[in-house]
Amino acid sequence: MRSNRSYVVWGVIGFVVATLLLSSRIAYYYTELLWFGELGLESIFFTVLSTRYLVGVVAALLFGGFVYLNLRMVRGIIAQLAEQIDDESGTINRWFIPRTINRVILLVSAVFGLLSGISMSSEWETILRYLNQVPFGVADPLYGQDISFFVFTLPFHRVIFNSGGFLLVLTTVVVGLIYFLSGSINFLGSRLNVHPRARLHLGGLIATYLFMKAWGYWLDAYELVYSPRGVAFGASYTDMHAHLPVFRIMTVLSIVAGAIALWYIRSRDVRWMYVAVALMLVGSVGLGTAYPAAIQRLIVQPNEIELERPYIEYNINHTQMAYGLDDVTQIPFAATDTLDWETLERNIETIENVRLWDWEPLLESYRQLHTLRAYYAFTDADVDRYTLNGRYQQVLIAARELNYAQVPGAETWVNRRLQYTHGHGLVMSPAAEFTEEGLPRMYIEDIPPQSTVDLEVKNPAIYYGEMTDDYVITNTREPELHHPEGDTNVYKHYAGTGGVAAGGIGRRAAFSLRFGDYNFLLSGSIHPESRVMYHRHIQERVRQVAPFLLLDGDPYPVVSKDENQIFWIQDAYTHSDRYPYSEPYYRGANYIRNSVKIVIDAYSGDMDFYVFDPDDPMIQTYGNIFPALFSPMEEMPSSLMEHVRYPMDLFEMQSEIYRTYHMENPVVFYNKEDLWAFPEEQFRGQSRRMEPYYIMANLPKIGDDLEFLTMMPFTPENRDVLVSWMAGRATPENYGELVVYQMPRGRTVFGPSQIEARIDQHEDISQLFTLWGQSGSDVIRGNMLVLPIEESLLYIEPIYLEAVDRGLPELRRVVAAHGDRLAMGRSVIEAMEIVFGVRDPLDPEELLEDEDLEDELVTEDPDVDDPPEPDPDDIDLPEEDVEQIGLIYDLFQEAQEAARRGDWAQYGEIIDELEDILEGLTGPQ
């Protein structure tokens, strides 16, 4: 009785757990449908969900049904054999015969079908791409197939083959094991004996697998275009003259072996099966391994350059096409050293937009000076350009988001979910300007945002951003913190359309199940019009809608002049790892296009997907799958189009590929004769690889207007001279164009690391760095910028000081260089005036001339002023004492002057003399 009760209890527990799990899953899908519905993207939700479940159900029925039919066949055969053979002989084991075994067969088949269905449902994207594919319009040079065959069709075939092959192998092994345990397969002495019915069953399975293996070898032949064996990625001479013939032969041998397996069923001679197995082993080992190795060693290696030449060409051409490098504009660049002041004045817009503020020191400055409350944070400082007060200029911008880790009372549900719901505003500063104190000059700052330019942020609330990792509930009876104001706070209620309406008790129960939070049901602050906001992180939000897109790592905020509110722009890429002959780069991907830019409203969370590369076959294929998702780039509002950038991640990837694949001559490529490298620069006392950067400049010989460009200089491998520089264009009419300027051969053009070395060797500058370091400040050398000015190059490097105890970087000096001339100034203009002879070089005293710096270097306390000069008429002292005090003052001034010059020997002598005078006045202590 007690045992029966225990079954009941466990049954009830199991039912409750299963119900909760199922309810949670239903709640998840229901709330996801609501979320997609609020965005007007229900069709995407249903397309993905229906495809996944359709594929999963079909696979489960086929795979589970196949296993079930085979196991039932095994049981039937064993039962028939048991009736034919004397029960007392013990030849047939009857464990698989009882009718109760049918339940086990059904259960095993159902579990296998379920697992197979789940596995196959994850291939929904492969299947949809195959069914909706668009041709690339380019044929591969070896098989004559369109590239779409390799990108869309071949992966689909491989999924079917791998799944079917696994099913056949697993079924054959399980069936064979059952036959063996039941006695249907046994040994008579040394001879393997298989009962005819079992032989028919197993022989059919093995023959089917061998026929399917022939299909696998057919697929393997096409996948030679991904071979890593040659001197370049893709098919090589050995692949096409050894592996390809072997795969063709193995295709035939597999069919022959399958036929032998069928003959074995009729002949009843197991030796035929040995022949089939031996045929496959000899073919795969002898032909598949030994023959290609012999071809490679005896034929290819002695003549590698000549034999691999066409395959190297395939690799170069297809890698360039796959990474969008096949249409790079190459322009000779004179790199003259004759740049003069008149030329600079013609290009004054470029000079006025030199980015002196690197994002790292600037972000630290923003964090220390402009977060204003501990629960706000800046995650990044992004470079952009705006037309402000009639001037087109480069700026840096950072969104002030809510840092949930620092929210007061974050452990309380009301604070975390209802009150502290959003960030507030942003800060903006010009890239080329700084204050007398070395701090960024602000265009937009404070809470609420205050602007000194003709750009306002009227709706500064940020509900969707880079730090919004959790859900909140807005428009509740509990007011939300909008922003602090003095000693108090300003509260508001959300008035937008973001999120999903909380609705009635049914929806709230679904949200409670989804988030595991019973407060949805208990809180009196939530009403039907409250908005539940989830998937608020902008990248998570995009991935939820378009998981097939690869996202750039640097989304950036934009202030729309039309709507005076904050939007995010997220670059996204179509990608594949199946482009033939193309060199893999990131996570095995060897094809990429910046085909999509997503705009996310920081207040409502609305998303718009704009297609920027309509010629990309992959985005065309996804457009066929999800016709409601994408819009043409022409529909992007002009106030946002002005801020489209050439994405840094893509440009860095293309730069990495191009430093090798600019070599189009197969012999030069084979020998790596002209390999390029990224320059080195100095940062915080260490050398590091230069990264691409944004500049505003006129492209020489191409454009007359100032453009916002992504730029990267190159040096030869293992050398420091400049060999070329690449620029990516971002204007709407030229978006995505790449231009490479190549330095003249046979003439030395200084590279960034050589300019860094010259700075280190400059007597006055290096002494100044030493002096600053001795005074307790870290000298931070910013990004070395290479600026094209017509047919010449200008190098700019900002210098920051950061007090060890304060950690606030201050922009104090700028180094400029052109040709063999180099100088440091207190501004870009001053440094360039010295370089181009408009003014005399600054002596060490002038370089140090800065009241704030003098205080840091000479005094312990920056608040202590220099002592005033004493007036003898106001001092009632003996005349000889007054003279001594005047002498002390003069010596003190000389000591300061020696410190400014860095003449510490003279400084020490003066201090010793002062000590002697003071001891004479006060007497021995």
Side-chain angles (χ1 to χ4, degrees):
M1 188 70 176
R2 186 174 298 172
S3 176
N4 290 336
R5 287 179 180 174
S6 121
Y7 285 137
V8 171
V9 169
W10 281 110
V12 170
I13 292 174
F15 176 77
V16 171
V17 170
T19 302
L20 287 175
L21 290 175
L22 184 61
S23 299
S24 297
R25 201 63 186 163
I26 292 173
Y28 172 81
Y29 282 119
Y30 173 61
T31 53
E32 281 298 283
L33 176 58
L34 293 175
W35 184 82
F36 275 88
E38 288 294 331
L39 294 171
L41 298 174
E42 303 99 321
S43 61
I44 295 173
F45 175 82
F46 285 118
T47 297
V48 175
L49 189 66
S50 61
T51 304
R52 290 179 68 103
Y53 274 88
L54 180 60
V55 171
V57 169
V58 170
L61 291 175
L62 289 176
F63 286 30
F66 185 82
V67 171
Y68 179 77
L69 290 175
N70 277 275
L71 292 180
R72 286 298 302 267
M73 186 181 297
V74 171
R75 180 185 175 276
I77 290 173
I78 294 175
Q80 290 178 7
L81 292 177
E83 293 176 1
Q84 297 172 8
I85 298 175
D86 185 3
D87 291 341
E88 297 179 357
S89 67
T91 304
I92 299 299
N93 190 324
R94 297 172 176 271
W95 67 273
F96 204 67
I97 296 177
R99 296 184 62 86
T100 54
I101 204 70
N102 287 338
R103 299 177 184 175
V104 177
I105 292 174
L106 183 61
L107 178 62
V108 169
S109 303
V111 170
F112 181 78
L114 178 63
L115 295 177
S116 301
I118 293 173
S119 176
M120 284 296 293
S121 68
S122 65
E123 299 292 343
W124 65 270
E125 188 180 338
T126 302
I127 295 169
L128 285 179
R129 284 195 310 227
Y130 168 72
L131 296 174
N132 295 274
Q133 62 180 284
V134 172
F136 278 66
V138 177
D140 94 281
L142 296 178
Y143 297 102
Q145 295 280 359
D146 188 88
I147 300 297
S148 59
F149 170 81
F150 298 95
V151 174
F152 301 125
T153 303
L154 194 56
F156 173 76
H157 283 242
R158 181 56 71 179
V159 166
I160 302 302
F161 170 77
N162 289 343
S163 302
F166 175 75
L167 175 65
L168 282 169
V169 170
L170 180 66
T171 304
T172 302
V173 170
V174 171
V175 166
L177 183 62
I178 295 173
Y179 280 134
F180 180 78
L181 294 176
S182 68
S184 301
I185 299 177
N186 52 51
F187 287 93
L188 295 178
S190 60
R191 182 183 176 185
L192 181 66
N193 181 53
V194 183
H195 193 278
R197 292 181 180 272
R199 182 172 63 247
L200 176 64
H201 189 186
L202 284 173
L205 289 173
I206 294 172
T208 303
Y209 174 76
L210 290 171
F211 290 138
M212 195 167 189
K213 189 65 178 173
W215 181 30
Y217 283 120
W218 180 81
L219 296 178
D220 289 340
Y222 283 108
E223 292 191 342
L224 288 174
V225 297
Y226 310 119
S227 170
R229 288 181 288 263
V231 295
F233 186 83
S236 65
Y237 181 91
T238 301
D239 289 319
M240 298 309 294
H241 293 81
H243 286 103
L244 180 60
V246 167
F247 288 147
R248 300 296 193 218
I249 293 171
M250 290 305 299
T251 300
V252 175
L253 288 181
S254 297
I255 296 173
V256 172
I260 292 173
L262 293 177
W263 177 254
Y264 156 72
I265 297 173
R266 179 169 181 172
S267 69
R268 304 183 180 183
D269 188 346
V270 76
R271 287 176 297 181
W272 284 108
M273 190 58 71
Y274 296 154
V275 171
V277 173
L279 194 64
M280 296 299 294
L281 287 176
V282 170
S284 60
V285 175
L287 294 177
T289 303
Y291 178 62
I295 293 294
Q296 180 67 28
R297 178 67 184 87
L298 301 176
I299 297 178
V300 175
Q301 287 186 6
N303 308 281
E304 194 166 50
I305 294 180
E306 187 61 33
L307 295 180
E308 296 287 7
R309 177 191 289 267
Y311 305 102
I312 294 174
E313 291 179 347
Y314 301 153
N315 171 255
I316 293 172
N317 294 337
H318 285 75
T319 298
Q320 289 182 345
M321 285 189 288
Y323 290 96
L325 298 170
D326 55 322
D327 196 26
V328 174
T329 302
Q330 298 184 13
I331 299 176
F333 190 76
T336 63
D337 293 338
T338 57
L339 187 62
D340 55 26
W341 190 253
E342 182 181 346
T343 305
L344 286 179
E345 288 181 332
R346 286 201 305 269
N347 294 271
I348 190 63
E349 287 184 319
T350 299
I351 306 304
E352 290 176 343
N353 279 288
V354 172
R355 183 180 55 79
L356 298 180
W357 283 104
D358 299 345
W359 72 268
E360 292 163 294
L362 181 68
L363 184 60
E364 187 59 38
S365 178
Y366 283 171
R367 284 169 174 167
Q368 293 198 39
L369 301 176
H370 298 284
T371 51
L372 304 181
R373 289 292 189 274
Y375 49 80
Y376 288 130
F378 297 107
T379 60
D380 194 11
D382 292 293
V383 183
D384 202 349
R385 73 287 197 196
Y386 285 77
T387 300
L388 302 171
N389 295 342
R391 180 179 157 222
Y392 188 48
Q393 56 186 294
Q394 192 170 198
V395 301
L396 286 104
I397 186 171
R400 185 186 291 108
E401 297 197 57
L402 193 64
N403 182 3
Y404 283 93
Q406 299 296 326
V407 166
E411 68 279 358
T412 66
W413 189 79
V414 170
N415 275 13
R416 189 169 183 82
R417 303 300 183 195
L418 308 185
Q419 280 202 336
Y420 289 84
T421 57
H422 59 279
H424 191 93
L426 47 76
V427 291
M428 178 188 289
S429 58
E433 299 181 32
F434 56 100
T435 66
E436 293 180 359
E437 295 79 21
L439 301 176
R441 188 179 303 281
M442 303 306 297
Y443 280 169
I444 300 177
E445 59 181 328
D446 295 338
I447 298 178
Q450 303 298 312
S451 175
T452 61
V453 292
D454 58 346
L455 179 67
E456 295 184 78
V457 185
K458 294 182 180 179
N459 185 359
I462 301 175
Y463 284 87
Y464 300 86
E466 294 184 271
M467 297 185 70
T468 48
D469 295 320
D470 214 341
Y471 74 91
V472 295
I473 309 169
T474 63
N475 192 29
T476 65
R477 295 185 177 90
E478 194 74 36
E480 303 165 43
L481 172 71
H482 189 50
H483 63 80
E485 190 169 83
D487 295 333
T488 62
N489 293 325
V490 174
Y491 292 88
K492 280 189 175 181
H493 287 280
Y494 181 72
T497 59
V500 176
I505 190 66
R507 279 196 184 186
R508 291 170 66 175
F511 286 123
S512 180
L513 280 171
R514 176 187 176 126
F515 296 112
D517 190 345
Y518 58 82
N519 287 298
F520 275 98
L521 297 172
L522 300 180
S523 175
S525 299
I526 303 175
H527 56 80
E529 300 305 316
S530 298
R531 312 292 295 183
V532 184
M533 295 183 176
Y534 45 104
H535 298 317
R536 294 198 302 141
H537 191 289
I538 53 178
Q539 292 198 328
E540 177 200 357
R541 197 169 182 80
V542 173
R543 289 191 183 102
Q544 203 66 20
V545 171
F548 46 85
L549 294 177
L550 180 66
L551 303 185
D552 189 85
D554 188 26
Y556 56 99
V558 169
V559 180
S560 166
K561 277 196 170 185
D562 291 342
E563 301 180 48
N564 297 113
Q565 72 176 63
I566 302 169
F567 294 86
W568 295 91
I569 295 182
Q570 170 70 66
D571 283 285
Y573 310 106
T574 54
H575 61 103
S576 175
D577 60 356
R578 308 300 293 172
Y579 200 94
Y581 316 103
S582 174
E583 183 71 26
Y585 179 71
Y586 179 73
R587 295 181 182 176
N590 64 357
Y591 173 89
I592 192 165
R593 288 291 186 273
N594 178 214
S595 295
V596 184
K597 293 183 184 289
I598 302 107
V599 175
I600 305 104
D601 190 320
Y603 186 68
S604 69
D606 289 341
M607 293 185 291
D608 294 296
F609 291 70
Y610 296 102
V611 174
F612 269 68
D613 188 356
D615 296 328
D616 173 26
M618 292 205 71
I619 201 62
Q620 293 175 10
T621 296
Y622 286 123
N624 291 341
I625 300 171
F626 306 110
L629 181 58
F630 301 106
S631 302
M633 62 178 289
E634 290 77 14
E635 294 184 11
M636 178 183 279
S638 59
S639 60
L640 296 176
M641 180 69 79
E642 295 170 356
H643 302 286
V644 164
R645 306 188 308 189
Y646 197 108
M648 196 67 77
D649 285 355
L650 174 64
F651 188 79
E652 186 168 10
M653 183 185 301
Q654 290 175 317
S655 300
E656 176 67 40
I657 295 294
Y658 196 72
R659 73 186 192 88
T660 300
Y661 282 88
H662 70 277
M663 297 181 285
E664 297 182 352
N665 184 299
V667 177
V668 174
F669 183 93
Y670 175 85
N671 293 312
K672 299 296 186 287
E673 296 175 17
D674 192 23
L675 191 64
W676 292 351
F678 296 120
E680 298 285 319
E681 65 177 1
Q682 294 292 318
F683 185 78
R684 291 190 181 273
Q686 293 185 340
S687 180
R688 69 177 185 182
R689 196 188 84 168
M690 230 175 139
E691 297 178 348
Y693 53 91
Y694 291 111
I695 63 169
M696 292 185 70
N698 298 322
L699 277 176
K701 301 181 180 180
I702 291 183
D704 297 326
D705 297 327
L706 195 67
E707 292 189 42
F708 185 73
L709 305 168
T710 312
M711 181 170 172
M712 185 71 209
F714 295 98
T715 63
E717 184 79 0
N718 300 320
R719 295 179 60 201
D720 294 329
V721 298
L722 196 69
V723 67
S724 65
W725 58 274
M726 176 187 281
R729 309 180 76 180
T731 54
E733 60 273 16
N734 300 307
Y735 182 81
E737 291 183 10
L738 291 173
V739 185
V740 172
Y741 290 87
Q742 295 187 328
M743 303 303 109
R745 300 283 182 173
R747 190 165 70 82
T748 298
V749 179
F750 287 123
S753 57
Q754 292 176 314
I755 301 297
E756 296 278 22
R758 289 176 56 198
I759 293 173
D760 289 332
Q761 296 162 9
H762 193 284
E763 183 178 358
D764 293 337
I765 296 175
S766 61
Q767 286 182 2
L768 192 59
F769 287 169
T770 302
L771 180 59
W772 281 332
Q774 290 173 344
S775 69
S777 294
D778 285 337
V779 178
I780 303 173
R781 291 160 66 165
N783 294 148
M784 172 67 69
L785 303 179
V786 184
L787 296 178
I789 306 291
E790 296 186 6
E791 285 286 315
S792 302
L793 292 174
L794 187 65
Y795 296 85
I796 302 292
E797 182 171 89
I799 306 297
Y800 310 90
L801 284 187
E802 183 178 79
V804 174
D805 57 341
R806 286 187 289 172
L808 179 62
E810 298 174 356
L811 205 169
R812 290 299 188 177
R813 295 292 181 266
V814 179
V815 177
H818 171 66
D820 59 357
R821 292 167 284 173
L822 183 145
M824 176 187 280
R826 289 160 294 198
S827 67
V828 172
I829 297 297
E830 185 177 77
M832 288 193 295
E833 285 176 340
I834 299 171
V835 167
F836 294 101
V838 177
R839 62 175 297 163
D840 294 331
L842 300 178
D843 58 35
E845 295 181 19
E846 290 177 300
L847 279 174
L848 190 62
E849 197 173 87
D850 188 310
E851 292 182 2
D852 293 335
L853 293 180
E854 290 173 10
D855 290 340
E856 289 180 18
L857 296 171
V858 177
T859 66
E860 291 288 334
D861 185 354
D863 296 328
V864 176
D865 296 328
D866 291 341
E869 185 175 352
D871 185 353
D873 296 332
D874 296 334
I875 302 175
D876 189 15
L877 290 173
E879 185 175 349
E880 61 271 21
D881 289 345
V882 173
E883 291 176 356
Q884 289 286 80
I885 292 172
L887 178 60
I888 290 171
Y889 177 79
D890 292 337
L891 289 172
F892 179 76
Q893 293 292 327
E894 292 179 18
Q896 282 188 312
E897 192 63 27
R900 290 190 185 97
R901 296 194 306 270
D903 190 347
W904 299 109
Q906 184 180 357
Y907 181 85
E909 293 174 2
I910 296 172
I911 293 299
D912 290 339
E913 188 176 350
L914 281 171
E915 289 179 354
D916 293 338
I917 295 173
L918 291 171
E919 286 179 2
L921 286 174
T922 60
Q925 300 298 316

